[in-house]
PDB file of all heavy atoms in Angstrom:
ATOM      1  N   GLY A 694     -35.479  33.416 -84.960  1.00 92.00           N
ATOM      2  CA  GLY A 694     -34.855  33.170 -83.664  1.00 92.00           C
ATOM      3  C   GLY A 694     -34.790  34.384 -82.767  1.00 92.00           C
ATOM      4  O   GLY A 694     -34.713  34.265 -81.543  1.00 92.00           O
ATOM      5  N   VAL A 695     -34.874  35.598 -83.354  1.00 92.00           N
ATOM      6  CA  VAL A 695     -34.788  36.803 -82.536  1.00 92.00           C
ATOM      7  C   VAL A 695     -36.010  36.979 -81.652  1.00 92.00           C
ATOM      8  O   VAL A 695     -35.986  37.785 -80.712  1.00 92.00           O
ATOM      9  CB  VAL A 695     -34.585  38.062 -83.408  1.00 92.00           C
ATOM     10  CG1 VAL A 695     -33.312  37.954 -84.224  1.00 92.00           C
ATOM     11  CG2 VAL A 695     -35.795  38.299 -84.327  1.00 92.00           C
ATOM     12  N   GLY A 696     -37.091  36.241 -81.924  1.00 92.00           N
ATOM     13  CA  GLY A 696     -38.309  36.403 -81.142  1.00 92.00           C
ATOM     14  C   GLY A 696     -38.402  35.533 -79.906  1.00 92.00           C
ATOM     15  O   GLY A 696     -39.299  35.731 -79.077  1.00 92.00           O
ATOM     16  N   ALA A 697     -37.496  34.584 -79.751  1.00 93.00           N
ATOM     17  CA  ALA A 697     -37.616  33.624 -78.647  1.00 93.00           C
ATOM     18  C   ALA A 697     -37.553  34.297 -77.284  1.00 93.00           C
ATOM     19  O   ALA A 697     -38.395  34.048 -76.411  1.00 93.00           O
ATOM     20  CB  ALA A 697     -36.533  32.553 -78.768  1.00 93.00           C
ATOM     21  N   SER A 698     -36.575  35.140 -77.069  1.00 93.00           N
ATOM     22  CA  SER A 698     -36.414  35.780 -75.771  1.00 93.00           C
ATOM     23  C   SER A 698     -37.549  36.743 -75.472  1.00 93.00           C
ATOM     24  O   SER A 698     -38.062  36.786 -74.350  1.00 93.00           O
ATOM     25  CB  SER A 698     -35.073  36.515 -75.703  1.00 93.00           C
ATOM     26  OG  SER A 698     -34.004  35.599 -75.728  1.00 93.00           O
ATOM     27  N   ALA A 699     -37.966  37.510 -76.473  1.00 93.00           N
ATOM     28  CA  ALA A 699     -39.035  38.481 -76.256  1.00 93.00           C
ATOM     29  C   ALA A 699     -40.340  37.794 -75.901  1.00 93.00           C
ATOM     30  O   ALA A 699     -41.053  38.218 -74.978  1.00 93.00           O
ATOM     31  CB  ALA A 699     -39.210  39.347 -77.502  1.00 93.00           C
ATOM     32  N   GLY A 700     -40.680  36.735 -76.614  1.00 94.00           N
ATOM     33  CA  GLY A 700     -41.945  36.059 -76.360  1.00 94.00           C
ATOM     34  C   GLY A 700     -41.972  35.279 -75.070  1.00 94.00           C
ATOM     35  O   GLY A 700     -42.971  35.271 -74.346  1.00 94.00           O
ATOM     36  N   ALA A 701     -40.868  34.624 -74.744  1.00 95.00           N
ATOM     37  CA  ALA A 701     -40.824  33.770 -73.557  1.00 95.00           C
ATOM     38  C   ALA A 701     -40.422  34.516 -72.300  1.00 95.00           C
ATOM     39  O   ALA A 701     -40.725  34.079 -71.184  1.00 95.00           O
ATOM     40  CB  ALA A 701     -39.855  32.607 -73.791  1.00 95.00           C
ATOM     41  N   GLY A 702     -39.698  35.642 -72.465  1.00 95.00           N
ATOM     42  CA  GLY A 702     -39.231  36.379 -71.295  1.00 95.00           C
ATOM     43  C   GLY A 702     -37.979  35.815 -70.670  1.00 95.00           C
ATOM     44  O   GLY A 702     -37.693  36.064 -69.498  1.00 95.00           O
ATOM     45  N   VAL A 703     -37.209  35.071 -71.448  1.00 95.00           N
ATOM     46  CA  VAL A 703     -35.954  34.484 -70.975  1.00 95.00           C
ATOM     47  C   VAL A 703     -34.809  35.083 -71.781  1.00 95.00           C
ATOM     48  O   VAL A 703     -34.828  35.004 -73.023  1.00 95.00           O
ATOM     49  CB  VAL A 703     -35.961  32.943 -71.115  1.00 95.00           C
ATOM     50  CG1 VAL A 703     -34.616  32.356 -70.697  1.00 95.00           C
ATOM     51  CG2 VAL A 703     -37.085  32.336 -70.293  1.00 95.00           C
ATOM     52  N   PRO A 704     -33.809  35.689 -71.145  1.00 94.00           N
ATOM     53  CA  PRO A 704     -32.703  36.300 -71.888  1.00 94.00           C
ATOM     54  C   PRO A 704     -32.011  35.317 -72.825  1.00 94.00           C
ATOM     55  O   PRO A 704     -31.886  34.116 -72.529  1.00 94.00           O
ATOM     56  CB  PRO A 704     -31.754  36.768 -70.778  1.00 94.00           C
ATOM     57  CG  PRO A 704     -32.640  36.990 -69.597  1.00 94.00           C
ATOM     58  CD  PRO A 704     -33.697  35.922 -69.691  1.00 94.00           C
ATOM     59  N   ALA A 705     -31.545  35.834 -73.958  1.00 92.00           N
ATOM     60  CA  ALA A 705     -30.941  34.994 -74.994  1.00 92.00           C
ATOM     61  C   ALA A 705     -29.711  34.244 -74.499  1.00 92.00           C
ATOM     62  O   ALA A 705     -29.374  33.188 -75.035  1.00 92.00           O
ATOM     63  CB  ALA A 705     -30.582  35.851 -76.208  1.00 92.00           C
ATOM     64  N   LYS A 706     -29.023  34.763 -73.479  1.00 92.00           N
ATOM     65  CA  LYS A 706     -27.807  34.100 -73.008  1.00 92.00           C
ATOM     66  C   LYS A 706     -28.094  32.724 -72.420  1.00 92.00           C
ATOM     67  O   LYS A 706     -27.173  31.919 -72.238  1.00 92.00           O
ATOM     68  CB  LYS A 706     -27.090  34.970 -71.977  1.00 92.00           C
ATOM     69  CG  LYS A 706     -27.817  35.135 -70.648  1.00 92.00           C
ATOM     70  CD  LYS A 706     -27.006  36.000 -69.689  1.00 92.00           C
ATOM     71  CE  LYS A 706     -27.684  36.144 -68.340  1.00 92.00           C
ATOM     72  NZ  LYS A 706     -26.862  36.969 -67.407  1.00 92.00           N
ATOM     73  N   HIS A 707     -29.373  32.448 -72.120  1.00 94.00           N
ATOM     74  CA  HIS A 707     -29.724  31.145 -71.559  1.00 94.00           C
ATOM     75  C   HIS A 707     -30.115  30.129 -72.639  1.00 94.00           C
ATOM     76  O   HIS A 707     -30.485  29.006 -72.319  1.00 94.00           O
ATOM     77  CB  HIS A 707     -30.866  31.293 -70.560  1.00 94.00           C
ATOM     78  CG  HIS A 707     -30.521  32.155 -69.379  1.00 94.00           C
ATOM     79  ND1 HIS A 707     -29.490  31.855 -68.515  1.00 94.00           N
ATOM     80  CD2 HIS A 707     -31.068  33.316 -68.936  1.00 94.00           C
ATOM     81  CE1 HIS A 707     -29.414  32.790 -67.582  1.00 94.00           C
ATOM     82  NE2 HIS A 707     -30.352  33.686 -67.813  1.00 94.00           N
ATOM     83  N   ILE A 708     -30.059  30.544 -73.906  1.00 94.00           N
ATOM     84  CA  ILE A 708     -30.335  29.616 -75.010  1.00 94.00           C
ATOM     85  C   ILE A 708     -29.000  29.180 -75.588  1.00 94.00           C
ATOM     86  O   ILE A 708     -28.301  29.951 -76.240  1.00 94.00           O
ATOM     87  CB  ILE A 708     -31.217  30.287 -76.079  1.00 94.00           C
ATOM     88  CG1 ILE A 708     -32.541  30.743 -75.456  1.00 94.00           C
ATOM     89  CG2 ILE A 708     -31.480  29.312 -77.233  1.00 94.00           C
ATOM     90  CD1 ILE A 708     -33.436  31.513 -76.418  1.00 94.00           C
ATOM     91  N   ASP A 709     -28.637  27.938 -75.326  1.00 92.00           N
ATOM     92  CA  ASP A 709     -27.317  27.428 -75.697  1.00 92.00           C
ATOM     93  C   ASP A 709     -27.252  26.874 -77.110  1.00 92.00           C
ATOM     94  O   ASP A 709     -26.167  26.768 -77.689  1.00 92.00           O
ATOM     95  CB  ASP A 709     -26.897  26.320 -74.728  1.00 92.00           C
ATOM     96  CG  ASP A 709     -26.944  26.762 -73.283  1.00 92.00           C
ATOM     97  OD1 ASP A 709     -26.472  27.876 -73.008  1.00 92.00           O
ATOM     98  OD2 ASP A 709     -27.469  26.019 -72.448  1.00 92.00           O
ATOM     99  N   GLN A 710     -28.401  26.493 -77.657  1.00 93.00           N
ATOM    100  CA  GLN A 710     -28.408  25.777 -78.929  1.00 93.00           C
ATOM    101  C   GLN A 710     -29.653  26.161 -79.717  1.00 93.00           C
ATOM    102  O   GLN A 710     -30.760  26.126 -79.192  1.00 93.00           O
ATOM    103  CB  GLN A 710     -28.402  24.271 -78.653  1.00 93.00           C
ATOM    104  CG  GLN A 710     -28.604  23.390 -79.865  1.00 93.00           C
ATOM    105  CD  GLN A 710     -28.560  21.926 -79.474  1.00 93.00           C
ATOM    106  OE1 GLN A 710     -27.572  21.254 -79.709  1.00 93.00           O
ATOM    107  NE2 GLN A 710     -29.620  21.413 -78.882  1.00 93.00           N
ATOM    108  N   VAL A 711     -29.469  26.555 -80.973  1.00 95.00           N
ATOM    109  CA  VAL A 711     -30.591  26.869 -81.853  1.00 95.00           C
ATOM    110  C   VAL A 711     -30.575  25.898 -83.025  1.00 95.00           C
ATOM    111  O   VAL A 711     -29.561  25.783 -83.725  1.00 95.00           O
ATOM    112  CB  VAL A 711     -30.529  28.324 -82.357  1.00 95.00           C
ATOM    113  CG1 VAL A 711     -31.722  28.620 -83.268  1.00 95.00           C
ATOM    114  CG2 VAL A 711     -30.510  29.290 -81.177  1.00 95.00           C
ATOM    115  N   ILE A 712     -31.685  25.213 -83.211  1.00 96.00           N
ATOM    116  CA  ILE A 712     -31.816  24.231 -84.291  1.00 96.00           C
ATOM    117  C   ILE A 712     -32.729  24.813 -85.353  1.00 96.00           C
ATOM    118  O   ILE A 712     -33.899  25.118 -85.084  1.00 96.00           O
ATOM    119  CB  ILE A 712     -32.398  22.908 -83.770  1.00 96.00           C
ATOM    120  CG1 ILE A 712     -31.538  22.367 -82.619  1.00 96.00           C
ATOM    121  CG2 ILE A 712     -32.509  21.884 -84.890  1.00 96.00           C
ATOM    122  CD1 ILE A 712     -32.323  21.773 -81.491  1.00 96.00           C
ATOM    123  N   GLY A 713     -32.193  25.014 -86.542  1.00 97.00           N
ATOM    124  CA  GLY A 713     -32.986  25.529 -87.649  1.00 97.00           C
ATOM    125  C   GLY A 713     -33.596  24.392 -88.433  1.00 97.00           C
ATOM    126  O   GLY A 713     -32.921  23.420 -88.779  1.00 97.00           O
ATOM    127  N   VAL A 714     -34.892  24.499 -88.732  1.00 97.00           N
ATOM    128  CA  VAL A 714     -35.615  23.418 -89.409  1.00 97.00           C
ATOM    129  C   VAL A 714     -36.027  23.873 -90.808  1.00 97.00           C
ATOM    130  O   VAL A 714     -36.618  24.944 -90.978  1.00 97.00           O
ATOM    131  CB  VAL A 714     -36.865  23.014 -88.611  1.00 97.00           C
ATOM    132  CG1 VAL A 714     -37.514  21.782 -89.237  1.00 97.00           C
ATOM    133  CG2 VAL A 714     -36.513  22.737 -87.152  1.00 97.00           C
ATOM    134  N   ALA A 715     -35.706  23.054 -91.787  1.00 98.00           N
ATOM    135  CA  ALA A 715     -36.087  23.358 -93.169  1.00 98.00           C
ATOM    136  C   ALA A 715     -36.477  22.072 -93.876  1.00 98.00           C
ATOM    137  O   ALA A 715     -35.904  21.010 -93.627  1.00 98.00           O
ATOM    138  CB  ALA A 715     -34.932  24.031 -93.915  1.00 98.00           C
ATOM    139  N   LYS A 716     -37.459  22.173 -94.747  1.00 98.00           N
ATOM    140  CA  LYS A 716     -37.756  21.053 -95.627  1.00 98.00           C
ATOM    141  C   LYS A 716     -36.652  20.913 -96.666  1.00 98.00           C
ATOM    142  O   LYS A 716     -35.915  21.870 -96.940  1.00 98.00           O
ATOM    143  CB  LYS A 716     -39.084  21.286 -96.350  1.00 98.00           C
ATOM    144  CG  LYS A 716     -40.318  21.080 -95.480  1.00 98.00           C
ATOM    145  CD  LYS A 716     -41.563  21.433 -96.257  1.00 98.00           C
ATOM    146  CE  LYS A 716     -42.804  21.186 -95.409  1.00 98.00           C
ATOM    147  NZ  LYS A 716     -44.029  21.721 -96.039  1.00 98.00           N
ATOM    148  N   ALA A 717     -36.581  19.740 -97.261  1.00 98.00           N
ATOM    149  CA  ALA A 717     -35.610  19.503 -98.321  1.00 98.00           C
ATOM    150  C   ALA A 717     -36.026  20.179 -99.624  1.00 98.00           C
ATOM    151  O   ALA A 717     -35.299  20.142-100.615  1.00 98.00           O
ATOM    152  CB  ALA A 717     -35.430  18.002 -98.548  1.00 98.00           C
ATOM    153  N   TYR A 718     -37.183  20.803 -99.618  1.00 98.00           N
ATOM    154  CA  TYR A 718     -37.689  21.609-100.725  1.00 98.00           C
ATOM    155  C   TYR A 718     -38.346  22.829-100.081  1.00 98.00           C
ATOM    156  O   TYR A 718     -38.084  23.120 -98.905  1.00 98.00           O
ATOM    157  CB  TYR A 718     -38.674  20.810-101.593  1.00 98.00           C
ATOM    158  CG  TYR A 718     -39.762  20.100-100.801  1.00 98.00           C
ATOM    159  CD1 TYR A 718     -41.025  20.669-100.638  1.00 98.00           C
ATOM    160  CD2 TYR A 718     -39.526  18.860-100.203  1.00 98.00           C
ATOM    161  CE1 TYR A 718     -42.011  20.025 -99.904  1.00 98.00           C
ATOM    162  CE2 TYR A 718     -40.518  18.214 -99.481  1.00 98.00           C
ATOM    163  CZ  TYR A 718     -41.752  18.792 -99.326  1.00 98.00           C
ATOM    164  OH  TYR A 718     -42.732  18.159 -98.604  1.00 98.00           O
ATOM    165  N   SER A 719     -39.168  23.571-100.782  1.00 98.00           N
ATOM    166  CA  SER A 719     -39.785  24.775-100.232  1.00 98.00           C
ATOM    167  C   SER A 719     -41.293  24.729-100.399  1.00 98.00           C
ATOM    168  O   SER A 719     -41.805  24.196-101.398  1.00 98.00           O
ATOM    169  CB  SER A 719     -39.257  26.037-100.932  1.00 98.00           C
ATOM    170  OG  SER A 719     -37.857  26.152-100.807  1.00 98.00           O
ATOM    171  N   THR A 720     -42.007  25.308 -99.422  1.00 96.00           N
ATOM    172  CA  THR A 720     -43.453  25.475 -99.548  1.00 96.00           C
ATOM    173  C   THR A 720     -43.853  26.830 -98.976  1.00 96.00           C
ATOM    174  O   THR A 720     -43.140  27.420 -98.170  1.00 96.00           O
ATOM    175  CB  THR A 720     -44.247  24.382 -98.806  1.00 96.00           C
ATOM    176  OG1 THR A 720     -43.990  24.475 -97.400  1.00 96.00           O
ATOM    177  CG2 THR A 720     -43.898  22.996 -99.311  1.00 96.00           C
ATOM    178  N   ARG A 721     -45.022  27.283 -99.398  1.00 94.00           N
ATOM    179  CA  ARG A 721     -45.587  28.515 -98.845  1.00 94.00           C
ATOM    180  C   ARG A 721     -47.108  28.449 -98.957  1.00 94.00           C
ATOM    181  O   ARG A 721     -47.642  27.877 -99.912  1.00 94.00           O
ATOM    182  CB  ARG A 721     -45.054  29.739 -99.590  1.00 94.00           C
ATOM    183  CG  ARG A 721     -45.622  31.041 -99.057  1.00 94.00           C
ATOM    184  CD  ARG A 721     -44.887  32.282 -99.481  1.00 94.00           C
ATOM    185  NE  ARG A 721     -45.282  33.372 -98.587  1.00 94.00           N
ATOM    186  CZ  ARG A 721     -44.703  34.542 -98.514  1.00 94.00           C
ATOM    187  NH1 ARG A 721     -43.672  34.808 -99.286  1.00 94.00           N
ATOM    188  NH2 ARG A 721     -45.131  35.450 -97.666  1.00 94.00           N
ATOM    189  N   VAL A 722     -47.803  29.035 -97.961  1.00 89.00           N
ATOM    190  CA  VAL A 722     -49.258  29.143 -97.998  1.00 89.00           C
ATOM    191  C   VAL A 722     -49.626  30.615 -98.025  1.00 89.00           C
ATOM    192  O   VAL A 722     -48.994  31.438 -97.360  1.00 89.00           O
ATOM    193  CB  VAL A 722     -49.895  28.458 -96.764  1.00 89.00           C
ATOM    194  CG1 VAL A 722     -51.380  28.737 -96.703  1.00 89.00           C
ATOM    195  CG2 VAL A 722     -49.656  26.955 -96.811  1.00 89.00           C
ATOM    196  N   GLY A 723     -50.646  30.967 -98.797  1.00 83.00           N
ATOM    197  CA  GLY A 723     -51.087  32.358 -98.852  1.00 83.00           C
ATOM    198  C   GLY A 723     -50.309  33.160 -99.880  1.00 83.00           C
ATOM    199  O   GLY A 723     -49.553  32.612-100.699  1.00 83.00           O
ATOM    200  N   GLY A 724     -50.483  34.476 -99.829  1.00 87.00           N
ATOM    201  CA  GLY A 724     -49.857  35.349-100.809  1.00 87.00           C
ATOM    202  C   GLY A 724     -48.409  35.637-100.484  1.00 87.00           C
ATOM    203  O   GLY A 724     -47.876  35.231 -99.465  1.00 87.00           O
ATOM    204  N   GLY A 725     -47.763  36.360-101.384  1.00 93.00           N
ATOM    205  CA  GLY A 725     -46.382  36.765-101.181  1.00 93.00           C
ATOM    206  C   GLY A 725     -45.425  36.138-102.163  1.00 93.00           C
ATOM    207  O   GLY A 725     -45.731  35.125-102.801  1.00 93.00           O
ATOM    208  N   PRO A 726     -44.244  36.712-102.309  1.00 96.00           N
ATOM    209  CA  PRO A 726     -43.254  36.218-103.268  1.00 96.00           C
ATOM    210  C   PRO A 726     -42.687  34.866-102.868  1.00 96.00           C
ATOM    211  O   PRO A 726     -42.560  34.555-101.684  1.00 96.00           O
ATOM    212  CB  PRO A 726     -42.166  37.295-103.241  1.00 96.00           C
ATOM    213  CG  PRO A 726     -42.285  37.916-101.883  1.00 96.00           C
ATOM    214  CD  PRO A 726     -43.745  37.894-101.557  1.00 96.00           C
ATOM    215  N   PHE A 727     -42.342  34.075-103.870  1.00 97.00           N
ATOM    216  CA  PHE A 727     -41.827  32.718-103.648  1.00 97.00           C
ATOM    217  C   PHE A 727     -40.906  32.422-104.832  1.00 97.00           C
ATOM    218  O   PHE A 727     -41.333  31.869-105.844  1.00 97.00           O
ATOM    219  CB  PHE A 727     -43.016  31.762-103.600  1.00 97.00           C
ATOM    220  CG  PHE A 727     -42.690  30.321-103.282  1.00 97.00           C
ATOM    221  CD1 PHE A 727     -43.711  29.395-103.141  1.00 97.00           C
ATOM    222  CD2 PHE A 727     -41.383  29.865-103.125  1.00 97.00           C
ATOM    223  CE1 PHE A 727     -43.460  28.066-102.857  1.00 97.00           C
ATOM    224  CE2 PHE A 727     -41.114  28.538-102.838  1.00 97.00           C
ATOM    225  CZ  PHE A 727     -42.163  27.632-102.707  1.00 97.00           C
ATOM    226  N   PRO A 728     -39.619  32.795-104.754  1.00 98.00           N
ATOM    227  CA  PRO A 728     -38.723  32.740-105.916  1.00 98.00           C
ATOM    228  C   PRO A 728     -38.624  31.387-106.601  1.00 98.00           C
ATOM    229  O   PRO A 728     -38.489  31.333-107.830  1.00 98.00           O
ATOM    230  CB  PRO A 728     -37.371  33.172-105.333  1.00 98.00           C
ATOM    231  CG  PRO A 728     -37.726  34.058-104.184  1.00 98.00           C
ATOM    232  CD  PRO A 728     -38.958  33.442-103.593  1.00 98.00           C
ATOM    233  N   THR A 729     -38.673  30.283-105.864  1.00 98.00           N
ATOM    234  CA  THR A 729     -38.447  28.973-106.478  1.00 98.00           C
ATOM    235  C   THR A 729     -39.739  28.208-106.734  1.00 98.00           C
ATOM    236  O   THR A 729     -39.716  27.001-106.965  1.00 98.00           O
ATOM    237  CB  THR A 729     -37.518  28.110-105.609  1.00 98.00           C
ATOM    238  OG1 THR A 729     -38.166  27.819-104.360  1.00 98.00           O
ATOM    239  CG2 THR A 729     -36.198  28.811-105.345  1.00 98.00           C
ATOM    240  N   GLU A 730     -40.878  28.911-106.692  1.00 98.00           N
ATOM    241  CA  GLU A 730     -42.167  28.225-106.842  1.00 98.00           C
ATOM    242  C   GLU A 730     -42.263  27.522-108.194  1.00 98.00           C
ATOM    243  O   GLU A 730     -41.838  28.038-109.229  1.00 98.00           O
ATOM    244  CB  GLU A 730     -43.311  29.223-106.696  1.00 98.00           C
ATOM    245  CG  GLU A 730     -44.685  28.565-106.756  1.00 98.00           C
ATOM    246  CD  GLU A 730     -45.813  29.527-106.409  1.00 98.00           C
ATOM    247  OE1 GLU A 730     -45.536  30.748-106.309  1.00 98.00           O
ATOM    248  OE2 GLU A 730     -46.948  29.054-106.233  1.00 98.00           O
TER     249      GLU A 730
END
């Protein structure tokens, strides 16, 4: 969420609501750690 203002050029004070999206389980593509794999 910290990237929204920087990428769009709109100050964070104008974002009233942030919706976080997650699957009911976990997935990953590519390399890197994945504790619950």
Side-chain angles (χ1 to χ4, degrees):
V695 300
S698 293
V703 177
K706 68 179 182 179
H707 298 300
I708 301 176
D709 305 315
Q710 172 179 256
V711 180
I712 304 140
V714 187
K716 285 176 178 171
Y718 50 97
S719 301
T720 64
R721 180 165 197 169
V722 172
F727 184 176
T729 65
E730 184 172 10

